[in-house]
């Protein structure tokens, strides 16, 4: 595989990662833990509560981070076409995206956490087995991306780590507002 030729299928059965890959996975695991930890001992109803002026709830944040991680792994494997053109999204598309940030009727915290664990395992397997972290794709069309930019698998994974860390911080504030519990301190 060359630098500009990303993987087209998911690798299977790689040895345990070392070096840079181990560092990326360790950092991502730490931030995943803090995000999940904010939901400890909560009911489904509590996981869906908005406790600040934000639209965010704990279950919705985990759903969002799950979708983000899944989409970016799909991007690493198959390029920008899997993400679509954000500049062409309709109001209905934006409404579906907004549902990613809240607990919907019938959703459970256990179900949301289980889906997150499945996505995390897939990501971990990919990082361990991906032939080349320098493999790059052009970014999807979106008003928040510069045109003609390309992200390597490495850069994409760093973005997933940053998103997870940012939302773990949001989740900590939401949880503290709910019942005074904190992730640290």
């Amino acid at each position: 595989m060359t630098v500009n030729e990303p993987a087209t299928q998911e690798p299977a059965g790689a040895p345990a990662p070392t070096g840079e890959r181990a560092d990326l996975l360790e950092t991502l695991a730490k931030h995943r833990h803090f995000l999940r930890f904010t939901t400890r001992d909560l009911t489904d109803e509590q996981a869906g509560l908005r406790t600040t002026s934000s639209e965010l709830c704990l279950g919705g944040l985990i759903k969002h981070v799950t979708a983000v991680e899944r989409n970016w792994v799909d991007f690493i494997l198959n390029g920008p076409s899997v993400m679509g053109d954000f500049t062409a999204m309709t109001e209905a598309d934006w409404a579906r995206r907004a549902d990613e940030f809240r607990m919907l009727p019938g959703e459970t915290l256990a179900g949301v956490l289980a889906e997150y664990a499945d996505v995390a395992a897939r990501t971990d397997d990919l990082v361990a087995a991906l032939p080349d972290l320098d493999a790059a794709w052009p970014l999807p069309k979106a008003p928040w991306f510069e045109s003609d930019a390309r992200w390597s698998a490495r850069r994409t994974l760093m973005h997933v780590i940053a998103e997870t860390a940012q939302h773990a911080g949001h989740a900590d504030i939401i949880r503290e507002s709910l019942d005074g519990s904190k992730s640290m301190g």
Side-chain angles (χ1 to χ4, degrees), residues 1 4 8 16 33 49 66 74 83 102 108 121 126:
M1 178 181 328
N4 293 320
T8 56
H33 164 75
L49 290 176
T66 300
D74 288 344
M83 297 181 98
R102 55 181 151 260
T108 65
L126 173 71

Side-chain angles (χ1 to χ4, degrees), residues 46 48-58 61 169-179:
Q46 290 171 312
L49 290 176
R50 291 176 46 210
T51 62
T52 67
S53 61
S54 167
E55 292 286 326
L56 302 174
C57 67
L58 292 171
L61 273 175
H170 292 146
D172 200 36
I173 292 167
I174 292 167
R175 178 63 191 257
E176 187 173 1
S177 297
L178 178 66
D179 65 4

Side-chain angles (χ1 to χ4, degrees), residues 9-89:
Q9 61 183 356
E10 292 184 49
T18 59
E20 177 185 21
R21 291 167 196 261
D23 290 345
L24 288 167
L25 289 174
E26 181 182 335
T27 302
L28 183 54
K30 176 181 75 172
H31 294 299
R32 285 177 183 146
H33 164 75
F34 283 126
L35 177 59
R36 285 189 302 259
F37 190 65
T38 63
T39 66
R40 70 197 176 283
D41 303 323
L42 292 182
T43 66
D44 295 337
E45 180 183 359
Q46 290 171 312
L49 290 176
R50 291 176 46 210
T51 62
T52 67
S53 61
S54 167
E55 292 286 326
L56 302 174
C57 67
L58 292 171
L61 273 175
I62 292 172
K63 282 177 56 179
H64 171 67
V65 171
T66 300
V68 164
E69 189 167 323
R70 180 187 307 110
N71 290 339
W72 283 113
V73 166
D74 288 344
F75 170 83
I76 290 169
L77 291 168
N78 301 302
S81 64
V82 297
M83 297 181 98
D85 180 348
F86 292 97
T87 64
M89 287 178 65

Side-chain angles (χ1 to χ4, degrees), residues 135-154:
W137 291 102
L139 289 174
K141 284 184 74 172
W144 49 85
F145 292 134
E146 59 187 88
S147 61
D148 300 324
R150 297 176 66 84
W151 279 7
S152 67
R154 176 184 297 100

